[in-house]
Amino acid sequence: MTTSLSRPDVHPRLDLPYLHDLLHPRRPLWTPQELRSLTSTVASELTTPLLEILEFGQEQRWWARLALTEGVELWLLSWAQDQGTAPHDHGGASGSFTVLLGELREDYRYPGGPVRSATRATGDTVAFGRGRAHQVRNLGAIGAASVHAYSPPLLPTTEYASLTEYTAVPEPRKDS
């Protein structure tokens, strides 16, 4: 899918000048550090409007795309107790996420490395380059929420039965 946006596509409840200023619509690719700054800033500075959008689904995880430009996509995800992802990569995209509410467990791996685990609490931000796969879960007793960004946007992910199956960094790819 080719993205051609002269203006950012922004969630109607977040169509705020401040968010538009953060999105840099002409930036073609974002570094992990730039993605870290974006998710951290959005989570800390736009908390109230994010909480007004946020929903929790008991049957499946809930998500809403917050913004899309040619260089980045921004998402809000919720995680009810015991909800999580399968192990996956991001199709060759760099990424970042910031925990908005609650606590998330992340298991992650770089090709050739061990599977590592970390607990990410409210306010924690993680940024990564294209060579990382992970699994994210809410093991806490209360709902959690997180803000995610990926660059380049709209790349399909690959799921794995286990993180140990992740052995090579994918080249950025688009669906045909």
Side-chain angles (χ1 to χ4, degrees), residues 118-169:
T119 299
R120 313 295 185 185
T122 299
D124 287 351
T125 300
V126 176
F128 49 90
R130 64 186 196 90
R132 186 174 190 265
H134 67 170
Q135 179 176 20
V136 180
R137 295 170 289 172
N138 178 7
L139 301 178
I142 63 167
S146 49
V147 176
H148 298 244
Y150 306 103
S151 182
L154 305 175
L155 296 182
T157 63
T158 299
E159 290 187 353
Y160 303 93
S162 161
L163 283 172
T164 58
E165 291 182 4
Y166 178 67
T167 59
V169 178

Side-chain angles (χ1 to χ4, degrees), residues 52-64:
E52 291 170 356
I53 296 169
L54 186 63
E55 297 177 21
F56 285 91
Q58 296 305 314
E59 299 300 315
Q60 68 178 20
R61 286 185 307 114
W62 174 92
W63 57 87

Side-chain angles (χ1 to χ4, degrees), residues 6 9 12 24 29 31 45 47 67 79 87 98 100 113-114 123 128 148 159:
S6 58
D9 178 15
H24 306 285
L29 285 178
T31 67
E45 298 298 324
T47 304
W79 314 78
T98 299
L100 177 68
F128 49 90
H148 298 244
E159 290 187 353

Side-chain angles (χ1 to χ4, degrees), residues 83-115:
Q83 287 180 340
T85 67
H88 65 281
D89 65 33
H90 285 280
S94 294
S96 176
F97 70 91
T98 299
V99 179
L100 177 68
L101 291 173
E103 190 174 89
L104 296 169
R105 158 88 177 242
E106 183 190 26
D107 299 320
Y108 60 95
R109 181 173 191 240
Y110 294 91
V115 174

Side-chain angles (χ1 to χ4, degrees), residues 2-17:
T2 302
T3 309
S4 180
L5 300 168
S6 58
R7 176 171 155 52
D9 178 15
V10 176
H11 189 286
R13 306 245 337 249
L14 278 179
D15 199 2
L16 307 166

Side-chain angles (χ1 to χ4, degrees), residues 14-23:
L14 278 179
D15 199 2
L16 307 166
Y18 184 70
L19 182 57
H20 283 269
D21 288 346
L22 295 174
L23 290 174

